[in-house]
Amino acid sequence: RQRRARLRSNRSAALLKLSRPHEALAEAERCCGEAPGWAKAHFRRAAALEAAGRPAEALEAALQALGLEPRNGDLLQMKARLPGPPRG
């Protein structure tokens, strides 16, 4: 199962590099389903959501990943880059 999750994570990253964010998101979501406790799975999902123009959902996924790996530099950078919820 862990091997399959790694393959899906790598496939998601490759699809993002090919500018195919919707396909990357599908792979990342499958990866999250197979390895819900793996921060990188949620990071891949966040990256795909960001590339698909869905920043609020990307932030939610990044925060989920940060809950698993609070000191991950890539996730902290992503959190800082993504807009937060509107303040009212």
Side-chain angles (χ1 to χ4, degrees):
R1 185 173 196 165
Q2 199 67 351
R3 183 169 187 257
R4 216 174 28 220
R6 275 195 318 258
L7 289 172
R8 290 199 184 282
S9 172
N10 291 340
R11 186 178 295 152
S12 178
L15 287 164
L16 268 184
K17 286 186 184 229
L18 293 171
S19 298
R20 293 162 59 183
H22 300 288
E23 293 170 81
L25 178 58
E27 284 300 321
E29 287 177 341
R30 288 184 194 107
C31 184
C32 287
E34 291 175 5
W38 188 32
K40 186 177 256 186
H42 298 282
F43 172 75
R44 295 289 191 220
R45 184 170 178 266
L49 285 163
E50 182 181 23
R54 295 163 60 182
E57 292 170 87
L59 178 60
E60 186 179 312
L63 292 174
Q64 197 169 6
L66 278 167
L68 298 167
E69 247 183 69
R71 296 183 182 189
N72 182 303
D74 291 330
L75 288 166
L76 290 169
Q77 285 179 3
M78 180 179 276
K79 179 186 171 203
R81 179 174 68 240
L82 291 167
R87 297 176 192 215

